[in-house]
């Protein structure tokens, strides 16, 4: 793992965008894996700026998002579909974007189709990840085993309460999500994980310094050959390295 610790969220976001920019400049038809949540917002802002300044052309890029809530219509402002359009897709010239369909009648079939679509596109070149304060990546929650492919996940109470801030009431927060599995994530050729804030410090320490363990799903990343981790000082606060 390559680790960089930044003084500010702004410089972290800029560094993340530079890594994506290098990927897209080197391979204009890159397949990129994207994340939602608060963590990638600064990075998406920087990617929009690089597009507006004529540095980046996304017209041949394909994207696959990590996950989507089950049961939330695309039109709901907190669906990940709406999030991605608002914060990135509608602001750059990307055309080929994919998210799991959380409203599919056959969710198991949808999971299989999603993995198949990633395979057909040639696999993900660069996958962006945030991390949950419980160590989840995508929505792969702490468990006694790693789940391989895209799957339907019952969100834990800790994730539901972390997501509560985006909804008007606790009842509205979805309880399930479709998420790329650990195997799907691990099959990306390169991975870029970002974390900001003291609330991520314990998960980052466990990911980087403890045993590989499905109870800290992100710890599997230690076995991947090409992972870059960008942290702010608070998220790096627990590291003894
Ligand atoms: C989002 C995702 C999640 C988030 C994680 C951190 O697509 O898969 O793993 O990256 O929950 O969320 P934030 O960035 O809101 O702290």
């Amino acid at each position: 793992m390559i680790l960089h610790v930044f003084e500010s969220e702004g410089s972290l976001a800029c560094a993340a965008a530079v890594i994506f920019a290098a990927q897209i400049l080197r391979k204009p038809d890159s397949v990129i894996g994207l994340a939602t949540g608060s963590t990638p917002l600064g990075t998406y802002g920087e990617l929009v700026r690089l597009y507006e300044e004529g540095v980046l052309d996304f017209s041949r890029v394909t994207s696959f998002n990590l996950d989507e809530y089950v049961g939330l219509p695309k039109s709901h402002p907190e669906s990940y579909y709406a999030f991605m359009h608002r914060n990135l897709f509608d602001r750059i010239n990307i055309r080929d974007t994919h998210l799991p369909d959380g409203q599919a009648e056959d969710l198991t079939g949808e999971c299989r189709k999603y993995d198949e679509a990633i395979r057909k596109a040639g696999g993900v070149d660069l996958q962006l990840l945030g991390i949950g304060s419980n160590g989840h990546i995508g929505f792969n929650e702490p468990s006694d085993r790693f789940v391989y492919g895209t799957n339907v996940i019952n969100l834990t109470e800790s994730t539901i309460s972390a997501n509560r801030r985006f909804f008007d009431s606790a009842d509205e927060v979805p309880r399930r999500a479709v998420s790329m599995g650990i195997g799907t994530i691990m099959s990306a050729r390169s991975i870029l994980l970002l974390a900001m804030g003291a609330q991520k410090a314990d998960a980052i320490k466990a990911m980087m310094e403890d045993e590989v363990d499905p109870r800290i799903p992100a710890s599997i990343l230690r076995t991947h050959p090409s992972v870059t981790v960008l942290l702010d000082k608070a998220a790096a606060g627990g590291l003894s390295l």
Side-chain angles (χ1 to χ4, degrees):
M1 274 184 178
I2 296 171
L3 169 68
H4 294 284
V5 181
F6 293 91
E7 292 286 337
S8 74
E9 289 190 8
S11 36
L12 187 158
C14 187
V18 165
I19 291 174
F20 267 91
Q23 171 67 42
I24 292 164
L25 290 168
R26 254 198 324 258
K27 186 179 176 212
D29 59 349
S30 287
V31 178
I32 57 175
L34 299 175
T36 55
S38 315
T39 305
L41 282 173
T43 306
Y44 293 160
E46 290 293 324
L47 290 176
V48 169
R49 188 177 62 77
L50 290 171
Y51 165 71
E52 287 172 349
E53 289 178 1
V55 178
L56 287 182
D57 173 12
F58 291 86
S59 61
R60 294 170 59 203
V61 171
T62 299
S63 73
F64 287 90
N65 262 80
L66 281 167
D67 39 26
E68 178 59 283
Y69 290 123
V70 168
L72 217 54
K74 285 178 179 167
S75 56
H76 191 290
E78 294 308 331
S79 74
Y80 287 167
Y81 177 93
F83 174 100
M84 288 308 302
H85 278 268
R86 188 167 63 239
N87 292 300
L88 190 64
F89 298 158
D90 293 350
R91 302 169 64 193
I92 58 175
N93 65 338
I94 195 164
R95 290 191 288 254
D96 192 14
T97 62
H98 304 256
L99 285 98
D101 179 0
Q103 288 206 297
E105 272 187 26
D106 172 12
L107 285 172
T108 311
E110 172 62 17
C111 293
R112 268 200 310 271
K113 265 176 28 197
Y114 202 64
D115 280 333
E116 187 50 33
I118 294 172
R119 245 192 318 272
K120 272 201 184 136
V124 172
D125 291 303
L126 176 61
Q127 175 67 55
L128 180 63
L129 296 177
I131 184 171
S133 48
N134 63 1
H136 74 214
I137 47 175
F139 271 134
N140 296 280
E141 298 285 30
S143 163
D144 52 7
R145 67 193 179 101
F146 291 113
V147 175
Y148 189 79
T150 295
N151 62 114
V152 181
I153 287 168
N154 293 318
L155 302 178
T156 58
E157 280 310 316
S158 110
T159 300
I160 292 166
S161 68
N163 291 344
R164 165 72 181 83
R165 67 193 195 277
F166 299 115
F167 293 85
D168 290 339
S169 73
D171 289 347
E172 270 187 63
V173 187
R175 270 30 190 184
R176 292 195 302 158
V178 177
S179 174
M180 283 188 195
I182 292 291
T184 324
I185 293 171
M186 288 292 284
S187 64
R189 285 181 269 281
S190 289
I191 293 176
L192 174 61
L193 183 140
L194 315 180
M196 283 109 73
Q199 74 283 9
K200 303 290 173 73
D202 289 347
I204 290 294
K205 180 177 169 50
M207 171 183 91
M208 299 197 65
E209 296 182 359
D210 292 349
E211 296 291 306
V212 173
D213 185 329
R215 283 169 296 181
I216 302 289
S219 64
I220 191 77
L221 298 175
R222 299 236 300 277
T223 68
H224 190 285
S226 176
V227 177
T228 304
V229 178
L230 308 185
L231 306 176
D232 70 357
K233 283 199 153 171
L239 293 177
S240 52
L241 297 173

